Amino acid sequence: GAVVSQHPSRVICKSGTSVKIECRSLDFQATTMFWYRQFPKQSLMLMATSNEGSKATYEQGVEKDKFLINHASLTLSTLTVTSAHPEDSSFYICSASAPDSGSSPLHFGNGTRLTVT
Amino acid sequence: GQNIDQPTEMTATEGAIVQINCTYQTSGFNGLFWYQQHAGEAPTFLSYNVLDGLEEKGRFSSFLSRSKGYSYLLLKELQMKDSASYLCAVRDSNYQLIWGAGTKLIIKP
């Protein structure tokens, strides 16, 4: 089945630094990838939709200059949290749509637990 | 606006049956999905309904009524490992997934 790999699974960084999270589709080409954030005991919140070869589409309230998304190839999208602050600490999850995936549109990476100290 | 409602938390006993309800109001409908999410992990796909009726997959079944904007996930022969959050999501007319807040299911021995 379709597999999405996300790295790193856990990262701790100091306030003011930047963190890059990678999301790869391992056995299919993903023209569209999605980035979610999830705070404890809350549901998934879509941050942005990443389209290969074009600019990402950000959801309302998500700062595009703070959360940089690059989708340079059909198998890789990256999310960079710039100048991270403690309030950015969260669980970040990527997902991708496989072709002909009408009955299961999203395959998720294992998520990245970001802690900003 | 678009909205998906599901209970925040439910408790059930090991070996029993539990039904988790989901109601939705969305701009169009192109399928309803149930995902399971264990704490600290990403969601995993459970089921998909696009036509009215019941879809059965092992111990899990999912039902859909489009006219009522209603679905449920039925879990039979509950096991301790079924303790997780269960997320209902609807794909709207723009093929965007609208997520419910999830139902935390607690299984007691």
Side-chain angles (χ1 to χ4, degrees), chain B residues 1-66:
Chain B
Q2 307 202 92
N3 192 52
I4 295 184
D5 290 313
Q6 43 180 142
T8 304
E9 187 173 296
M10 298 182 71
T11 302
T13 304
E14 189 177 16
I17 299 173
V18 71
Q19 177 175 310
I20 303 174
N21 295 325
C22 170
T23 57
Y24 62 89
Q25 300 92 39
T26 56
S27 301
F29 178 85
N30 281 297
L32 184 144
F33 305 85
W34 285 95
Y35 283 81
Q36 179 191 61
Q37 186 178 24
H38 285 99
E41 298 180 12
T44 55
F45 171 73
L46 287 179
S47 69
Y48 167 76
N49 294 71
V50 68
L51 299 176
D52 291 350
L54 187 68
E55 294 285 340
E56 297 185 80
K57 192 184 289 187
R59 294 189 298 115
F60 294 1
S61 303
S62 57
F63 172 83
L64 173 68
S65 169
R66 289 172 295 170

Side-chain angles (χ1 to χ4, degrees), chain B residues 11-19 59-60 74-83 105-109:
Chain B
T11 302
T13 304
E14 189 177 16
I17 299 173
V18 71
Q19 177 175 310
R59 294 189 298 115
F60 294 1
L74 190 72
L75 293 77
K76 302 177 185 176
E77 300 171 18
L78 287 170
Q79 301 174 11
M80 298 303 293
K81 67 178 182 179
D82 296 330
S83 293
L105 178 63
I106 300 169
I107 309 296
K108 295 186 175 180

Side-chain angles (χ1 to χ4, degrees), chain A:
Chain A
V3 177
V4 175
S5 174
Q6 186 173 342
H7 177 80
S9 58
R10 192 177 295 269
V11 59
I12 300 172
C13 70
K14 292 185 177 181
S15 186
T17 61
S18 295
V19 174
K20 179 185 282 188
I21 303 170
E22 291 189 349
C23 181
R24 294 179 183 272
S25 56
L26 297 185
D27 55 358
F28 64 98
Q29 293 183 333
T31 54
T32 303
M33 290 186 174
F34 304 89
W35 288 96
Y36 290 88
R37 180 167 55 184
Q38 188 175 35
F39 293 105
K41 299 183 180 181
Q42 295 187 23
S43 187
L44 297 171
M45 186 189 79
L46 180 65
M47 298 177 65
T49 301
S50 170
N51 300 294
E52 186 268 336
S54 64
K55 292 183 178 180
T57 302
Y58 289 82
E59 296 299 304
Q60 191 173 9
V62 178
E63 300 176 58
K64 61 181 180 181
D65 294 330
K66 180 170 183 62
F67 299 99
L68 301 179
I69 292 173
N70 184 285
H71 194 157
S73 77
L74 287 171
T75 60
L76 173 64
S77 177
T78 61
L79 167 67
T80 302
V81 183
T82 62
S83 186
H85 292 285
E87 57 264 31
D88 298 324
S89 298
S90 187
F91 190 49
Y92 292 85
I93 312 173
C94 73
S95 66
S97 293
D100 300 322
S101 60
S103 64
S104 178
L106 291 183
H107 302 275
F108 288 89
N110 287 329
T112 298
R113 175 75 58 192
L114 171 63
T115 303
V116 184
T117 61

